[in-house]
Amino acid sequence: MLGVCGSPHRHLALYSRVFAYSTRTLRGQLLRCFRPEFLPAELTKAQPDRSIIYYAFPDPPTTTLQRIKGITTGSLPTFVDMGSNFGGSSILEDSLIRQLYEAGKQIAFMGDDTWMSVFPTSFAPNMTFPYDSFNVEDLHSVDEGVIRHLLPLLREHTKSWDFIIGHFLGVDHVGHRLGPDHPTMQAKLQQMDNVLRETVELLDDDTLLVLLGDHGMDRKGDHGGDGELETSAGLWLYSKTRPLVDPQADIPAHLLTNRTYPGASTAHRSVQQIDLVPSLSLLLGLPIPFNNLGTVIPELFWTGKQATSFEHALRTNAAQVKRYLDAYRLSPAGSELDSAWKDIQSAWQGAMEGQVPALTMNMFTRYALEACRMLWAQFNITLIGLGLTTLLSSSLATFAVYDSLGRIVQWEPWLDRIASMTLRWSGIGTVSGLVVAFPLRPYVKDVAIFDYVAFGAAIASSFAVIKQALPARRLEIGSISSIPLPLVLHTLSFMSNSYTFWEDHVIPYLLLTSIAPFVLTGFTAPTPRLRTRILFFSSLFAVCVRLIAISTVCREEQQPYCHVTFFSGSTITTPPGLILAIVVPIAFGLPSAIRQYLKISKSDQGLANILLPTIFPSVLTSSSFVWILEWMESSEVLGPSCSGALRLTRTTLAWLSIGTILVVALTLWWLIPLCIKVETSEPAANERREVTIIGFANALGSPYLIFWLIFFSLVFTTTQLAGQVILALATVALLSFLEVVDSVRDVRALNLAFSSSKPSEFLAQSQETRSTLSTVGLRFSEVTPIALLALQVFFGTGHQAVISTIQWKSAFILTSSLTYPLSPLLVILNSLGPVFVFALAVPLIATWNTPPLPYPPSTAQNATLRACLGISLYFTSLLLGSAISSAWLRRHLMVWKVFAPRFMLAALCLVAVDVAVIVGYVIGFGRISVAVGRVFGSMPGANDAAKARKSQ
Amino acid sequence: MSPTTQPQRSRKSQKQSGKEREESERPAVQLPTAFFPFARYTSVVGVHTSLIAFTALFLPRTSLSSLFRSSAANGQLGKPDDVLLTLTENPLRTLAWICAGSCVLQVWWASWLRNWALDARAGVTEGADDTTRRTEQKLLREEWNSGRFAAFRMACLAAVVTSVVFSIVIILYGAPLNSHLLRTYLLGLLVALLSVFSAAYTLGVPSLGSDTESLVRRLTWIRLFAELSPRTPVERAILYPAIGTVLGCWVGAIPIGLDWERPWQAWPLTPAYGAVSGYIVGSLWALAINGVRQLYEIQLRENREAASAKRSEPQHTKKKGT
């Protein structure tokens, strides 16, 4: 409820002080407040000239933050206020509060602390009493706090305040927690009524009391959307002695809109909630906020038979709206108004020239509001449903292809058939979308022709793939163990706000769970070497994951259980001291560590021998120095005089490292990707010449790792210091996991061989040429840890599923000012890079230690494709889960804070993953298999032998 | 901790292998079935699980433990809110009580299991009256009993060592690194007591030695705890509760994440109670499986006796041949 109180000085300033209350809720809890037994109705009946009740329509989204912005700026705030700023939620726009502040008025505030994030500095410090708003369990402490601080202010007669905002939360919390019909609600309303009575008692003559609900509530007591009940709120204005409304006023009926409240029998006078903004501004003698779209409430300004005063007010109002629209039209977003601009112009024309200015100007402001409202995206159930169907069918299609590729031997022609069929069915879907569109258009609102076409094509092609692939599949009831438990839990976790905002803690738990089967297999390993390898590398993996999990930037909802470790404090953005000490050795040592892993399969040859000892250590180290210099510059450890030199040095270093990666490393990789060494022994007298290929066993995996490292280094450069340490740890975890997968496959193949009839044949193959991948195949459980690791690194590198954790600093590593398209690209690389890079690593589980023969490496290619589809499937299913939860919980208290941002993150992640697997499969694997073919394809003897072995 | 998929798979495979065994081995080996004290087993499991439940729910709020209570009001024990209050007021104390209680109970349970394992190994049958066999059994029992204290010492050692290992694993799964370490350790100890102690006391502690006995022992441990495939009723009675404990502990971690702000969400109450519940469920499950299999075997034996009494017939050879 808002209250305003004031004294008349200027000709329109009717009140010098306003006392505004807002209770969050108001389906009409406030409307119920207006039932006869409560004070507003009582006073309205007794003093109709000094008390007036309206229904007020709040624009969706009916969430507190947006409503606060609405009732102070008079505009239609959307979820993402792209226009002003990304970082905080404070508004830079003009607002009633700002006007008051600039006029030197003292504003007192008590209640919901959301106001503090919107107006951090506007309230008088000694009269500001914010309370935590998101603890829905707590029904009373906010209200009691407001009452405790409010009444003394009202009693005090020195008039130290000009404007009081008291924001009660109890009614809203009762609604959320217990529902609108719980007995507690009645008690709460009674409490509110008592407060009102006391307030009215204490009110002085030149104070206006405004009581309003910032939004309504649906039947369950929730809000956030655009439901009829959610957008039904109340507004009560009361002035103790001075008449508020002139009983003689002869206001034309068309200016007085009415609305029937759901369930009510008669219509009641109704206004737009934002109409309060221009009305209050003018009543207080202040300018109307620049971007207001509301219209002054006629009753408050109309005196006598003549509308002079009202017309004056309305003219000011209309001129302000026109000014705003003109400015909006000139802004980059101005094209949004394209469709409505002509009508706006003619309405303005009419307003200026009309015979009855009160009527035409009112029409103009109302039309402007409607036109702008069309721009605000509302919940479109049809599109939501179509989107969910598309997601569901595409994940099923991905699964169908993934599954079929694992079973069909002649998979290449099958895949060609599927591809052409997909194209054909997209065409059919497009056409049928068009066909369906025309008869349906009159009945389904807000679905464009393009939507029909796009959804038709996507859904039709998905279903075609599903139909083609699934009949071959007998669903086995007994295969419970093949259900990917981490994926199921992860997807379901998005249904809960707790697990969604604690996702950074959920992931290590799932990650460790996903590695547990490998450990169990490790214990059963038939040879001590395999057992030691599996246990050692999985322990290393687990330790790395746990260390990554330490690093976090906490999101708001995690308080007070979370401590920021990514930076050295929760309010400063300097890296922790420990990180500063270890980052350079880690960056320098990481390539050697990678080399040790390559040494296991003797594939630290060829390109690896060129890049790993020199290029990568220097690139990674200089990337670390870029950020160390950035820290020195921002914290001024060397004094302010050095900052220019530091800036120059770090820009140069950043360009050098990114340039080296892209030019030197990428070119070298493209020219000579293989990490092998060919040794020819001099033939003895009667023997054939012997060719030894060192690094043969990992001839596919090692060049891919180098390819991966190129992208890794790019992301490394854009990542802040703590994040660089995390990336290094994650690389060790990744390589350890690859070793685990390799050894576990060996164990499975050995066990398979023991249980088969001819174990000797398998065992006879040398360690080098044995392809366990072709024996045991790729499993989804091998993809899961990589997908989880990707998200774990995303959280570990200082990100969260909220917009405020975007690291804008990374935009400026290559340039000192904002440059397009470089700066946004760097931010994207910094934010989605971790997910991209670890999704790019997924072909490694198919190529690592998979020998390149027989050529072409069909098994490895098949497995690579399946691994790519697997990780894409994982992220599609996360997107599906978060989309369902956002759609289902769209009225939830936290939808705009928790579910919707996670949904957006899931969508962005899926894009990053899909791009990564396409790059990895087409460029990475494609180039490597060509290079491998050039070397090994020309060795017919070895190739045939390998083919023969395979066909056995 | 192992994922939930494991036991199902193992149960399935073990069911198959069990079926095979009944059809192939039993008729060939005409030994009496393994010693299976059904009635005693049932009653011991009943008492044991009830006492475990008692330990978890009542022991932490007995009069002895109320000595340590900080709040004065302990006259109103019994109301659900108060029960929850006493259990959750000081998680460390609750955990310590559960650990102490389970320690005593596990010693009793493990020694009972050990006796059973001995009887099963010695081949005790209800009606055996062969004197030489009796002597053999006596000798074996004596040897077994003389090693009891050494085995007990080793089992305690194993429990202590694995409690540290479990604590590390719990920390890897996301338990706090720099606080609540004692609580985490007590949880690790509880899991170790419930899952490892009785196995170590009954089967012996696996070692890396190369002699036959340690090899067999090692392979038994791997078969049980990595492949999850028990073969005898005793092994089932050891393994299923252990799996239940670990799974229960794993599942118990899930509710902590909810933002309900309830006192029972304090670390590590839910995993501890999950472990205890998992143990009880596993124990009862083992009892059920063992009982059903025993009845099945009795049925099978009766059929066989009836058939051999009649004279062997062609159908019989078919059975033998498989």
Side-chain angles (χ1 to χ4, degrees), chain A residues 137 478 480-481 483 485 489 496-499 501-502 508-509 512-513 516-517 520 523-524 531 542-543 546 550 561, chain B residues 1-6 9 171-177 222 225-227 250-251 253-255 257-259 261-262:
Chain A
E137 300 278 298
I480 300 170
S481 63
I483 292 175
L485 185 71
L489 288 180
S496 152
N497 57 339
S498 318
Y499 295 129
F501 61 65
W502 283 108
Y509 177 78
L512 268 277
T513 304
L520 278 189
F523 278 110
T524 66
R531 191 180 315 143
V543 169
R546 186 65 183 91
I550 295 175
Y561 303 106
Chain B
M1 299 179 213
S2 61
T4 49
T5 54
Q6 287 294 338
R9 188 194 304 160
I171 287 177
L172 285 178
Y173 265 76
L177 263 177
I222 288 176
F225 291 98
E227 291 171 11
W250 183 84
V251 171
I254 292 177
L258 291 166
D259 61 349
E261 313 251 334
R262 295 296 154 88

Side-chain angles (χ1 to χ4, degrees), chain A residues 66 69 88 102 115 117 171 298 398 420 499 536 711 755 918:
Chain A
Q66 277 68 36
K69 289 184 178 180
E102 286 183 355
W115 284 82
S117 60
V171 182
T398 315
S420 65
Y499 295 129
F536 172 74
F711 289 88
S755 59
I918 290 170

Side-chain angles (χ1 to χ4, degrees), chain A residues 585-654:
Chain A
I586 284 187
F588 187 78
L590 182 65
S592 330
I594 295 169
R595 217 164 159 214
Q596 293 303 315
Y597 278 95
L598 284 174
K599 249 182 201 154
I600 298 173
S601 55
K602 297 194 190 73
S603 46
D604 56 332
Q605 310 289 337
L607 183 65
N609 212 2
I610 302 167
L611 290 180
L612 284 178
T614 53
I615 305 278
F616 280 122
S618 49
V619 164
L620 296 187
T621 314
S622 70
S623 308
S624 294
F625 273 114
V626 168
W627 285 97
I628 290 177
L629 293 174
E630 191 273 341
W631 163 72
M632 285 175 157
E633 191 189 330
S634 58
S635 61
E636 296 190 336
V637 269
L638 301 178
S641 56
C642 290
S643 72
L646 287 175
R647 176 71 247 191
L648 187 68
T649 324
R650 74 182 171 102
T651 315
T652 320
L653 274 180

Side-chain angles (χ1 to χ4, degrees), chain A residues 78-86 803:
Chain A
T78 52
F79 165 52
V80 188
D81 296 296
M82 293 286 191
S84 47
N85 63 331
F86 260 115
I803 291 166

